[in-house]
C-alpha cells in the first residue's frame, strides 16, 4: 500500500461499490485489478456434496459380513442335507400295527432324522422309564431304611435290651468294698 | 397323497359352480386366467411332486401309533408304593395329552362348521356348538385350574373336592 495514493484507493473503493456497472467480478483499473467481493459467485443453495462426512460404517459391515459367513458356513451344508433327506428318503406313512409284531421304539416317529436320532442317539423310552423306576426304587429303599433305623433307635433306647445305647460301667468285681464293709470302719 | 380327512365330520358344502351360459363370442377372461394359472403353476408343481414321490417310493418306511397297556390307577395303589404312583402318574399324563387333543379336534370341527355355514352358522351348527360346549365344560371341570405342574394326585384331589361339593349340594 506504499505506492498507493489516496485518489487511487478512493477509485478502487468506488469501483468495488458500483453494483450497476461492471458485471465481471473484478474491475480493471489502470494499475491492477481489484476484485469486487460482492460479485463472487456465493452459492447458498443445495448442490450435491462431493465430500460427505458421516460416521463410520466399517465395523457394522464387517460384523454383518462375518455373521453371514459363519452362519452360512454350517447352515448351507445342513440345509442341503435336510433337503436331500426330505427328497430322497421322505417321511414315513402311518400304518396299523400288524398282528403279533412289536415295533422297535424308533418306528413310532415320522421324520427320518427323528427316527435316526431315536435309534442311535437316545435311549428307548422303555429304558428311560425303567431307569426312572429304578431310581425311585433306590430312593424308596433308602427312605424305608431311614424310617426303620429311627424306629429301632426308639425301641432300643426305650427297652434297653439291644446292642445300642449301652453305657459301659466299671466291673463290679474289681471294686474294693473294704472301706464300706463294716459300719464303723 | 396324505390320507383324506373324515368326510362325515367335515361335510363338503354343495357345489355352487354356475352352469356355463356363454352368450358372446368374446373370450372369457376367467377361463383364460384359470388356464394360465394351470399351465404356469399347477402343472409344474404336480410334475415336481410326482417326480419326488417316485424317488421317495423306493425308500418307503412306516410308523405306528404306540399303544400303551393300562396300569393300576392312583386310587388302586397301596400307600407308600412309589412305583405304582409313578406308573399311575405317567398314565394320567398320557390321558391328559389325549384329552387336550380331543378338545382341539372338537374345536376344529366347530370352527370348520362356522366357516362352512357363513352367516347362518347359529342354526346350522347347533350340534357342533353343543358338543364343543359339553366337551369344554367337562374338560374344565376335570383338568381346569390344575396349572402347569399338574399331576395325577392334584387331579384326584380336585375330583375329591368336586364330589364333596356335590354331596354338600345334595344334602
Amino acid at each position: 500500500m506504499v505506492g498507493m495514493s489516496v485518489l487511487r484507493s478512493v477509485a478502487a473503493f468506488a469501483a468495488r461499490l458500483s453494483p450497476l456497472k461492471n458485471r465481471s467480478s473484478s474491475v480493471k483499473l489502470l494499475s491492477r485489478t481489484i476484485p469486487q467481493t460482492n460479485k463472487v459467485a456465493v452459492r447458498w443453495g443445495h448442490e450435491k456434496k462431493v465430500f460427505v462426512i458421516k460416521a463410520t460404517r466399517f465395523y457394522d459391515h464387517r460384523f454383518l459380513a462375518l455373521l453371514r459367513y459363519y452362519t452360512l458356513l454350517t447352515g448351507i451344508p445342513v440345509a442341503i442335507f435336510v433337503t436331500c433327506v426330505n427328497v430322497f428318503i421322505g417321511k414315513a406313512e402311518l400304518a396299523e400295527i400288524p398282528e403279533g409284531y412289536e415295533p422297535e421304539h424308533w418306528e413310532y416317529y415320522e421324520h427320518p432324522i427323528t427316527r435316526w436320532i431315536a435309534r442311535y442317539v437316545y435311549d428307548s423310552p422303555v429304558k428311560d422309564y425303567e431307569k426312572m423306576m429304578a431310581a425311585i426304587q433306590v430312593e424308596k429303599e433308602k427312605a424305608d431304611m431311614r424310617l426303620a433305623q429311627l424306629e429301632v433307635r426308639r425301641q432300643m433306647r426305650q427297652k434297653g435290651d439291644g446292642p445300642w445305647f449301652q453305657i459301659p460301667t466299671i466291673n463290679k468285681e474289681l471294686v474294693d468294698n473294704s472301706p464300706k464293709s463294716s459300719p464303723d470302719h | 397323497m396324505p390320507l383324506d380327512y373324515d368326510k362325515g365330520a367335515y361335510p363338503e358344502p354343495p357345489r355352487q359352480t354356475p352352469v356355463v351360459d356363454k352368450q358372446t363370442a368374446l373370450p372369457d377372461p376367467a377361463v383364460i386366467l384359470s388356464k394360465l394359472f394351470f399351465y404356469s403353476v399347477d402343472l409344474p408343481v404336480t410334475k415336481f411332486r410326482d417326480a419326488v414321490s417316485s424317488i421317495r417310493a423306493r425308500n418307503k418306511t412306516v410308523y405306528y401309533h404306540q399303544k400303551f397297556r393300562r396300569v393300576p390307577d392312583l386310587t388302586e395303589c397301596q400307600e407308600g408304593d412309589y412305583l405304582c404312583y409313578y406308573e399311575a402318574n405317567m398314565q394320567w399324563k398320557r390321558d391328559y395329552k389325549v384329552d387336550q387333543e380331543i378338545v382341539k379336534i372338537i374345536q376344529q370341527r366347530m370352527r370348520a362348521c362356522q366357516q362352512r355355514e357363513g352367516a347362518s352358522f347359529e342354526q346350522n351348527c347347533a350340534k357342533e356348538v353343543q358338543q364343543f360346549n359339553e366337551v369344554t365344560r367337562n374338560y374344565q371341570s376335570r383338568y381346569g385350574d390344575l396349572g402347569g405342574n399338574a399331576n395325577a394326585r392334584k387331579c384326584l384331589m380336585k375330583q375329591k373336592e368336586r364330589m364333596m361339593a356335590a354331596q354338600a349340594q345334595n344334602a
Side-chain angles (χ1 to χ4, degrees), chain B residues 114-157:
Chain B
Q114 192 270 329
Q115 168 79 17
R116 252 198 332 266
E117 302 293 337
S120 59
F121 71 94
E122 275 161 5
Q123 67 195 73
N124 290 352
C125 294
K127 189 164 76 68
E128 269 87 0
V129 168
Q130 187 260 332
Q131 201 178 38
F132 174 73
N133 284 333
E134 192 186 321
V135 163
T136 45
R137 211 171 286 131
N138 293 340
Y139 182 86
Q140 181 75 11
S141 80
R142 193 195 274 195
Y143 300 110
D145 294 308
L146 292 178
N149 298 328
N151 56 22
R153 197 177 162 128
K154 289 186 190 174
C155 192
L156 191 64
M157 293 301 111

Side-chain angles (χ1 to χ4, degrees), chain A residues 129, chain B residues 68-69 71 90-98:
Chain A
Y129 197 82
Chain B
F68 291 93
R69 283 199 296 269
V71 287
M90 287 293 118
Q91 185 177 259
W92 178 86
K93 269 203 193 154
R94 291 195 288 268
D95 292 339
Y96 188 22
K97 272 207 142 0
V98 167

Side-chain angles (χ1 to χ4, degrees), chain A residues 97-113:
Chain A
I97 301 177
E99 282 295 323
Y101 175 64
E102 172 79 34
E104 303 285 341
H105 67 274
W106 68 82
E107 286 176 5
Y108 291 117
Y109 299 101
E110 191 184 8
H111 196 259
I113 295 181

Side-chain angles (χ1 to χ4, degrees), chain A residues 86 88 93 95 107 115 137, chain B residues 56 59 61-64 83:
Chain A
N86 279 331
F88 293 108
E93 276 180 353
E107 286 176 5
R115 280 166 85 104
Q137 175 75 8
Chain B
R56 277 198 208 175
N59 311 326
T61 42
V62 281
Y63 77 107
Y64 311 103
L83 292 171

Side-chain angles (χ1 to χ4, degrees), chain B residues 16-70:
Chain B
Q16 286 175 333
T17 353
V19 178
V20 175
D21 185 24
K22 210 169 154 196
Q23 287 173 339
T24 64
L26 293 173
D28 188 5
V31 172
I32 293 176
L33 284 173
S34 67
K35 281 212 182 313
L36 197 71
F37 179 80
F38 179 75
Y39 285 112
S40 62
V41 173
D42 205 347
L43 210 57
V45 167
T46 317
K47 286 259 162 54
F48 177 71
R49 201 211 155 91
D50 287 337
V52 169
S53 294
S54 68
I55 296 172
R56 277 198 208 175
R58 281 178 248 145
N59 311 326
K60 198 95 296 232
T61 42
V62 281
Y63 77 107
Y64 311 103
H65 277 330
Q66 190 162 15
K67 290 194 175 36
F68 291 93
R69 283 199 296 269
R70 298 302 293 186

Side-chain angles (χ1 to χ4, degrees), chain A residues 8-181:
Chain A
R8 212 176 276 179
S9 57
V10 169
F13 189 63
R16 248 186 184 186
L17 281 183
S18 59
L20 296 172
K21 281 195 186 162
N22 301 326
R23 285 280 159 246
S24 68
S25 56
S26 56
V27 174
K28 291 189 183 51
L29 274 194
L30 281 170
S31 54
R32 60 195 206 303
T33 54
I34 294 116
Q36 283 183 311
T37 48
N38 59 342
K39 292 238 175 41
V40 171
V42 175
R43 297 191 177 101
W44 299 104
H46 292 271
E47 282 83 15
K48 186 172 153 107
K49 276 182 131 163
V50 182
F51 189 72
V52 175
I53 298 171
K54 59 183 181 183
T56 179
R57 279 196 233 145
F58 171 76
Y59 298 102
D60 304 329
H61 280 295
R62 188 179 68 176
F63 168 72
L64 290 171
L66 288 173
L67 187 73
R68 277 196 308 262
Y69 175 67
Y70 282 111
T71 51
L72 292 178
L73 194 61
T74 45
I76 289 182
V78 164
I80 292 172
F81 177 71
V82 172
T83 311
C84 284
V85 163
N86 279 331
V87 164
F88 293 108
I89 300 179
K91 291 187 178 173
E93 276 180 353
L94 188 56
E96 287 293 325
I97 301 177
E99 282 295 323
Y101 175 64
E102 172 79 34
E104 303 285 341
H105 67 274
W106 68 82
E107 286 176 5
Y108 291 117
Y109 299 101
E110 191 184 8
H111 196 259
I113 295 181
T114 322
R115 280 166 85 104
W116 188 89
I117 294 172
R119 187 171 175 180
Y120 292 111
V121 178
Y122 287 157
D123 281 329
S124 85
V126 176
K127 191 171 169 189
D128 280 337
Y129 197 82
E130 294 293 328
K131 283 195 295 204
M132 187 61 161
M133 301 259 271
I136 291 172
Q137 175 75 8
V138 164
E139 291 297 315
K140 175 182 194 291
E141 281 170 4
K142 274 159 68 175
D144 287 341
M145 278 204 205
R146 285 174 190 149
L147 282 172
Q149 194 208 14
L150 284 174
E151 182 65 25
V152 162
R153 272 173 72 100
R154 199 174 66 84
Q155 294 282 340
M156 289 216 195
R157 200 196 279 268
Q158 190 183 31
K159 291 182 185 162
D161 61 352
W164 296 356
F165 302 106
Q166 302 289 346
I167 300 164
T169 48
I170 48 179
N171 195 359
K172 290 188 186 53
E173 271 141 56
L174 301 173
V175 170
D176 179 22
N177 284 321
S178 50
K180 303 282 179 184
S181 56

